[in-house]
Amino acid sequence: AQTVTQSQPEMSVQEAETVTLSCTYDTSESDYYLFWYKQPPSRQMILVIRQEAYKQQNATENRFSVNFQKAAKSFSLKISDSQLGDAAMYFCAYRRTDSSYKLIFGSGTRLLVRP
Amino acid sequence: GAVVSQHPSRVICKSGTSVKIECRSLDFQATTMFWYRQFPKQSLMLMATSNEGSKATYEQGVEKDKFLINHASLTLSTLTVTSAHPEDSSFYICSAPSSMLYGYTFGSGTRLTVV
């Protein structure tokens, strides 16, 4: 069975600095999708970034980028120029490419941003 | 973009009563809807997967007689918590695959409190 592990329950970053959130996963599949979701205090889940496993190039969305290491089964999220609005829970998630569509979430990392 | 409207956002009910939570896909057809439960400061736990026109698939340990799921149309899925008890108090979130590339669209969640 696939699993997703986030080993950092909480991280703290100074505003305008850079922070990296870690995520590892376990799967026997060769193709799959990986996601980072943000859950602010409103609890609305917001997609931050996604990565297709067949793509070697790391995904980037403005201040958010990932370091995808397929062999190591690692998928970390880097947030540059951190802003107060980045404070939230961040969940790493995995999905197979087949029709099951089920998202498997990690336990989450709470990001605190210090002004 | 794709929107899933979830109602109610908050509900308080008495122990022993039933509560229905609705999730509607507003601008796309949701053939599949995932229902999650989230305890405070924890991750999302998949409870069940509903597919339009067929019986829901429940995750191991989820009581199908307590959490009734109906997916009567391509735009509406409902979760009914029957004979609710205080331990059913939680945050419930629905989610539908709206795009292969962009993951899923999540409802805004329902905070259920059973008194």
Side-chain angles (χ1 to χ4, degrees):
Chain A
Q2 296 89 4
T3 59
V4 178
T5 301
Q6 293 179 250
S7 59
Q8 305 156 317
E10 186 173 288
M11 292 285 284
S12 180
V13 64
Q14 190 76 36
E15 194 176 6
E17 297 295 310
T18 296
V19 64
T20 298
L21 308 184
S22 301
C23 173
T24 59
Y25 58 94
D26 188 25
T27 183
S28 58
E29 305 289 325
S30 59
D31 200 12
Y32 45 86
Y33 300 101
L34 295 166
F35 305 87
W36 278 98
Y37 281 91
K38 170 184 178 181
Q39 189 181 43
S42 68
R43 302 190 83 167
Q44 175 70 57
M45 296 289 284
I46 301 166
L47 176 65
V48 175
I49 200 165
R50 62 166 175 85
Q51 174 83 41
E52 293 99 320
Y54 65 85
K55 289 187 177 180
Q56 293 186 335
Q57 187 174 7
N58 289 324
T60 300
E61 288 288 341
N62 301 314
R63 298 183 295 108
F64 300 88
S65 61
V66 299
N67 183 2
F68 173 50
Q69 301 289 328
K70 190 173 184 180
K73 296 180 181 174
S74 171
F75 183 60
S76 60
L77 174 69
K78 185 171 84 171
I79 306 174
S80 304
D81 185 24
S82 296
Q83 300 175 0
L84 294 177
D86 295 334
M89 282 290 292
Y90 286 82
F91 294 99
C92 178
Y94 164 99
R95 204 207 86 185
R96 288 165 50 174
T97 59
D98 65 12
S99 59
S100 69
Y101 289 117
K102 183 167 68 175
L103 266 180
I104 299 171
F105 287 94
S107 55
T109 296
R110 178 173 302 280
L111 178 66
L112 305 174
V113 181
R114 304 186 304 274
Chain B
V3 175
V4 171
S5 176
Q6 182 171 349
H7 293 281
S9 58
R10 286 176 178 263
V11 58
I12 300 173
C13 71
K14 291 186 177 180
S15 190
T17 62
S18 295
V19 174
K20 181 184 283 188
I21 301 170
E22 290 190 350
C23 281
R24 293 181 182 273
S25 57
L26 297 186
D27 47 6
F28 69 101
Q29 293 184 331
T31 55
T32 300
M33 190 73 74
F34 298 98
W35 287 92
Y36 294 89
R37 183 174 181 174
Q38 186 179 29
F39 290 105
K41 299 185 179 180
Q42 292 190 23
S43 187
L44 283 71
M45 273 182 21
L46 182 65
M47 298 173 62
T49 303
S50 72
N51 292 289
E52 187 268 336
S54 62
K55 287 186 177 180
T57 303
Y58 290 81
E59 296 297 303
Q60 194 172 7
V62 177
E63 299 176 62
K64 56 183 70 176
D65 293 333
K66 165 165 276 299
F67 300 101
L68 299 179
I69 290 174
N70 185 278
H71 198 141
S73 75
L74 289 172
T75 58
L76 176 63
S77 178
T78 61
L79 166 67
T80 301
V81 183
T82 63
S83 187
H85 290 284
E87 57 265 31
D88 299 325
S89 299
S90 191
F91 192 71
Y92 294 88
I93 309 175
C94 61
S95 174
S98 55
S99 162
M100 177 73 76
L101 298 180
Y102 294 97
Y104 303 76
T105 298
F106 287 81
S108 53
T110 297
R111 183 182 301 279
L112 170 63
T113 304
V114 185
V115 297

